[in-house]
């Protein structure tokens, strides 16, 4: 998983469905050692999954490794998927709800535009005076 990789399968998006998240995590590159450990230099793929799991579950890396004790990497990927889905589902649902409420979005944009104009007005007035447009 990588936020800088141009491949969409290498990035979990907030708006991804639970199935898409599970597929991306399942296909994440790991190594041939089945034990889950945290070793960023020696096992970067598995360590990345541990970091994602820890962040999604709001736990430390050590706790994530302890939760994986006795699991092979395939089973651990399922655990990571579950943690990510649990963390992102309420956010994804709220984004979908907001995207469906066009009137609300228009009102938010209008308020923002008015606030920006109010903030910019004094500076714009000063610039116009200095340039000689007033």
């Amino acid at each position: 998983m990588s936020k800088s990789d141009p491949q969409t399968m290498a990035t979990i998006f907030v708006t991804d469905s639970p199935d898409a998240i599970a597929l991306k995590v399942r296909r994440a590159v790991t190594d041939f050692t089945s034990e889950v450990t945290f070793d960023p230099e020696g096992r970067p793929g598995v360590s990345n999954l541990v970091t994602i799991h820890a962040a999604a579950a709001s736990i430390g890396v050590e706790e994530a490794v302890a939760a994986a004790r006795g699991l092979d990497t395939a089973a651990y990927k399922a655990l990571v998927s579950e943690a990510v889905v649990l963390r992102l589902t309420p956010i994804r649902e709220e984004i979908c709800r907001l995207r469906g409420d066009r009137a609300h979005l228009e009102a938010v944009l209008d308020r923002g535009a008015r606030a920006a104009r109010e903030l910019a007005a004094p500076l714009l007035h000063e610039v116009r005076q200095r340039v000689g447009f007033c």
Side-chain angles (χ1 to χ4, degrees), residues 35-97:
E35 181 185 11
V36 176
T37 60
F38 187 75
D39 177 9
E41 292 295 317
R43 301 186 71 201
V46 175
S47 297
N48 194 30
L49 286 175
V50 171
T51 303
I52 291 168
H53 177 213
S58 297
I59 59 176
V61 168
E62 299 80 18
E63 290 176 81
V65 171
R69 194 162 287 121
L71 299 177
D72 62 13
T73 52
Y76 185 61
K77 287 179 179 184
L79 183 66
V80 173
S81 295
E82 183 181 326
V84 172
V85 167
L86 282 172
R87 174 63 75 147
L88 295 182
T89 293
I91 299 166
R92 180 179 43 79
E93 288 173 350
E94 181 66 4
I95 289 171
C96 289
R97 185 189 71 74

